[in-house]
Amino acid sequence: MAKWIRFEQAGKTGFGTLEGDTIAVHTGDLFAGAKPSGETLKLSGVQILTPCEPSKMICLWNNFHQLAAKNDFKQPKEPLWFLKAPNAYWPANRPIARPATYAGKIIYEGELGVVIGKKCFNISEAEAGDYIFGYTCVNDVTAVDLLRKDKSFEQWARSKSFDTFGVFGPVIATGLDPMKLSIKTILNGKERQNYPVADMFFPPHKLVAAISKDVTLMPGDVIACGTSLGAGTMGDAHNVVDIVIDGVGSLSNVFDQVLPSPYLLGAPPKPKKICVVGAGAIGGLLAAKFALAGENVTVIDQGAHLAAIQKSGLKLEWHDGKVQTARMKAVSKPSEAGKQDIVVLAVKAHFLDQVVRDIDSMLGPDTVVLTVQNGLPWWYFQKLGGQYDNHRLESLDPSGVLTKNIDPNRIIGCVVYPAAAATAPGVIHHVEGDRFPIGELDGKETARVKELHDVFIKAGLKSLVLPDIRSEIWLKAWGNLSFNPISALTHATLVDICQFAETRELAATMMKEAQDIAQKLGVTFRVTIEKRIAGAEAVGAHKTSMLQDVEAGRSLETEALIGSILEMAKLTNTAAPAIESVYALVKLLNKVMLLEGGGLKVEKVNKAA
């Protein structure tokens, strides 16, 4: 076994074998008859170059069983590959550069590189070993935000071919059995990837044979075998990334960057007057985070919760144990709040008609109305265009008061991904999540939606301005329409529903029916049903908002979460028998609760000894 290295010293390029920190200099051709010159050099006295000069670097996608299983990728019938441009080739120990023309995320991908030793075309798998010179470490650096920037064409070569993005080396190791190798990636001292070559769909010999049927492979060409689980962002100002393959070597590079501003408008926004209508789980979380960030916050609520906030402020218990108390103005009706810059409608959908009757007292000429309800919004068809433009959803706005009282030009839609609960008057407990994607109803990226994004960022939350907020609403509603009513009927948590075969199957059936409805409305889902269920399962033993309402004896969001989707099913002539059945049960449960004036909670029974 040998480790071959290329170097530069005193302006001259050379190569040789590396043992410890000593290079035995060779002459001739690295791939054909290299001979030792008798000269030796210290590694510390040379500048390391890439270990070869490829005519091309071929990179693989979807080449590992574990990664495919996690992302629900199908096993490819043949290698899926693309080219990385030669200007990207970059050696060990030299800094990776952030492109001046790109401000998005840059990710590492630790990979095994196969180095070709002899020219070949159309060879068999059995012959491939004769044409492989050895193996090297590869960091397939990627400007990931460019990859799917254009929905009509995935830009693999563009996102991966910036200068310094094709890092490989520092050596080529020969005489190895690649099937015994594992690839590790260590970012800033923490292991991020650790996966075996044996998990490949197309291991090195099979891969070389398959690719040789497409292109002539030349000595020095590198085939980067693709990456597996754990590829991620180099997100700090100073990053040290090491690709380590025992038996091959360690490829180390620094990636320094001036972190791009998280604010779309370049700086934190000036303080805003924000009124949150309904300081429950999500409304309370937002009110507290905004107030702690320096915004002038008012909340509108009722009863003991209002009294507690007025007396002691709103306590926010974050999932990591951090507890903060936010002070804010707390009132019982809109007329006491005054004019606002932003009004956040955070009450349950079925209470909106009561709230908006007096909303005018809070609206100035430029006031934005942000909706954060679960399920589909009453404004779904407003400013949509097409066949159903301005159609009113009677299940959500039966009297038309929402449509009448809130100008759609004021509205910005929002999807709520965090899970939280109001655990006591004046107390909000955060369970997980911090994402609040937002979007204009017509999909435009306006100055005001950018500023609202920056308000979320200033508060320490995550946001994203989406060109199609409705598709994201459907993605969230997809889970709500199944998990919420199933939990309300069974008193099971998310993880319980997902791990119980029959309810998991019921949820999937309801989601398939909803997907059929949405697709007739032009909506596309960016994840599969199984992945959406897996995401809910990962939240753990969380009680859905509808189950929390059942236990507290509150009116249920039946129409927003289920009825509105059934209305769309009728509108599009789509069958939805599973959704209809669950809707009937939850609707009756809601009626019984309201008539009896109580809730229902499953508690342990104290059995007599």
Side-chain angles (χ1 to χ4, degrees):
M1 186 179 77
K3 294 185 177 180
W4 294 89
I5 190 168
R6 284 177 68 247
F7 59 85
E8 181 179 311
Q9 186 197 43
K12 294 183 179 180
T13 299
F15 72 96
T17 56
L18 178 66
E19 187 169 348
D21 64 350
T22 301
I23 301 171
V25 180
H26 282 57
T27 59
D29 186 332
L30 172 61
F31 300 107
K35 295 180 180 180
S37 68
E39 180 185 5
T40 60
L41 297 170
K42 287 295 183 182
L43 183 62
S44 59
V46 304
Q47 180 174 327
I48 298 173
L49 304 176
T50 57
C52 58
E53 297 180 281
S55 71
K56 51 189 167 292
M57 180 182 281
I58 295 171
C59 304
L60 270 289
W61 181 74
N62 189 21
N63 194 30
F64 286 86
H65 290 85
Q66 287 187 0
L67 184 67
K70 180 180 179 181
N71 292 296
D72 201 24
F73 297 152
K74 293 182 179 179
Q75 179 172 340
K77 295 180 180 179
E78 55 188 6
L80 306 175
W81 60 270
F82 56 91
L83 293 174
K84 189 181 281 272
N87 62 282
Y89 303 162
W90 201 243
N93 300 339
R94 296 183 63 183
I96 300 166
R98 169 175 280 281
T101 55
Y102 172 76
K105 293 179 182 178
I106 295 177
I107 68 169
Y108 59 83
E109 296 181 22
E111 304 184 10
L112 175 70
V114 180
V115 181
I116 302 300
K118 295 190 293 184
K119 180 179 178 181
C120 60
F121 178 77
N122 195 24
I123 62 173
S124 67
E125 183 177 347
E127 296 171 313
D130 295 333
Y131 294 88
I132 295 174
F133 181 75
Y135 301 91
T136 191
C137 305
V138 175
N139 187 355
D140 181 13
V141 182
T142 308
V144 69
D145 292 349
L146 292 180
L147 185 56
R148 296 180 177 88
K149 182 179 180 181
D150 187 321
K151 292 183 179 180
S152 69
F153 181 76
E154 293 188 348
Q155 301 182 79
W156 292 92
R158 180 188 178 194
S159 65
K160 293 172 176 282
S161 291
F162 286 101
D163 293 351
T164 77
F165 276 23
V167 192
F168 68 104
V171 299
I172 304 169
T174 62
L176 295 174
D177 178 359
M179 301 306 290
K180 295 180 179 179
L181 301 176
S182 290
I183 296 91
K184 300 177 188 175
T185 301
I186 300 168
L187 178 67
N188 295 333
K190 294 183 179 180
E191 184 175 285
R192 301 297 187 181
Q193 292 186 287
N194 191 339
Y195 63 90
V197 169
D199 188 50
M200 290 182 183
F201 291 126
F202 300 96
H205 288 206
K206 181 180 287 189
L207 187 56
V208 170
I211 291 176
S212 78
K213 291 172 172 51
D214 297 333
V215 294
T216 298
L217 296 172
M218 302 298 294
D221 283 352
V222 175
I223 300 175
C225 296
T227 199
S228 188
L229 299 173
T233 303
M234 297 183 288
D236 292 344
H238 177 69
N239 305 270
V240 179
V241 59
D242 299 285
I243 314 300
V244 180
I245 306 176
D246 290 340
V248 176
S250 179
L251 173 66
S252 183
N253 297 86
V254 168
F255 174 62
D256 290 332
Q257 59 184 336
V258 176
L259 294 176
S261 171
Y263 299 106
L264 294 181
L265 297 180
K270 294 178 180 179
K272 300 290 183 186
K273 294 187 68 175
I274 303 175
C275 182
V276 178
V277 184
I282 297 302
L285 184 154
L286 286 174
K289 293 294 280 186
F290 289 152
L292 291 167
E295 310 296 352
N296 183 357
V297 174
T298 300
V299 295
I300 300 176
D301 216 288
Q302 305 291 325
H305 193 50
L306 173 63
I309 299 171
Q310 288 174 330
K311 180 180 178 181
S312 305
L314 186 56
K315 182 187 290 185
L316 178 61
E317 302 171 343
W318 209 247
H319 74 278
D320 61 3
K322 185 176 182 180
V323 178
Q324 294 174 287
T325 298
R327 297 286 177 174
M328 61 196 68
K329 181 179 178 180
V331 299
S332 62
K333 50 189 176 182
S335 60
E336 298 173 338
K339 300 295 183 185
Q340 303 291 320
D341 297 312
I342 302 167
V343 173
V344 182
L345 295 181
V347 295
K348 303 286 188 182
H350 49 278
F351 293 130
L352 281 172
D353 61 342
Q354 302 171 34
V355 169
V356 302
R357 297 177 191 278
D358 300 319
I359 198 171
D360 277 352
S361 61
M362 296 189 290
L363 302 180
D366 300 315
T367 303
V368 169
V369 175
L370 181 72
T371 61
V372 296
Q373 283 69 42
N374 275 329
L376 300 179
W378 85 88
W379 51 257
Y380 186 90
F381 290 113
Q382 294 180 346
K383 301 182 73 173
L384 177 63
Q387 179 182 359
Y388 302 109
D389 188 39
N390 289 323
H391 175 86
R392 178 164 60 86
L393 284 168
E394 294 188 5
S395 56
L396 300 177
D397 189 16
S399 66
V401 68
L402 300 179
T403 303
K404 178 182 177 183
N405 285 36
I406 302 180
D407 184 343
N409 291 314
R410 291 188 181 274
I411 298 171
I412 291 178
C414 178
V415 181
V416 175
Y417 282 110
T423 54
V427 181
I428 304 296
H429 179 72
H430 170 257
V431 177
E432 64 94 33
D434 57 3
R435 291 188 300 128
F436 292 85
I438 58 177
E440 293 277 10
L441 272 56
D442 58 8
K444 293 179 180 177
E445 195 168 308
T446 60
R448 70 173 192 170
V449 77
K450 290 179 181 179
E451 186 174 42
L452 182 56
H453 164 278
D454 290 352
V455 169
F456 277 101
I457 300 302
K458 180 182 173 184
L461 300 168
K462 293 178 182 177
S463 188
L464 188 67
V465 176
L466 299 177
D468 181 8
I469 191 65
R470 290 175 180 82
S471 287
E472 196 73 13
I473 287 171
W474 265 103
L475 184 62
K476 175 75 186 298
W478 212 21
N480 283 335
L481 95 105
S482 55
F483 298 125
N484 269 271
I486 292 173
S487 69
L489 294 167
T490 64
H491 291 258
T493 65
L494 283 175
V495 69
D496 295 330
I497 294 168
C498 295
Q499 292 182 357
F500 190 72
E502 288 82 357
T503 49
R504 187 185 186 101
E505 170 117 8
L506 175 58
T509 300
M510 295 174 71
M511 291 169 75
K512 179 61 173 66
E513 291 176 357
Q515 186 177 44
D516 292 341
I517 298 164
Q519 287 176 341
K520 288 186 179 181
L521 295 169
V523 173
T524 57
F525 291 84
R526 57 182 172 82
V527 301
T528 63
I529 290 174
E530 268 307 307
K531 190 169 182 180
R532 180 67 180 86
I533 293 175
E537 184 177 358
V539 174
H542 173 65
K543 294 180 180 181
T544 68
S545 60
M546 188 174 278
L547 175 54
Q548 292 178 45
D549 288 342
V550 168
E551 292 184 344
R554 296 188 291 258
S555 180
L556 307 182
E557 296 176 280
T558 312
E559 299 306 321
L561 300 188
I562 322 169
S564 59
I565 290 174
L566 286 177
E567 184 176 347
M568 288 188 173
K570 293 177 182 177
L571 194 66
T572 57
N573 295 313
T574 308
I579 298 175
E580 287 179 350
S581 298
V582 172
Y583 171 72
L585 295 173
V586 172
K587 194 169 184 178
L588 179 57
L589 172 63
N590 188 53
K591 180 180 178 181
V592 171
M593 286 170 55
L594 293 175
L595 288 174
E596 298 296 331
L600 180 64
K601 187 173 184 179
V602 175
E603 295 180 337
K604 289 184 179 180
V605 176
N606 292 322
K607 295 182 179 179

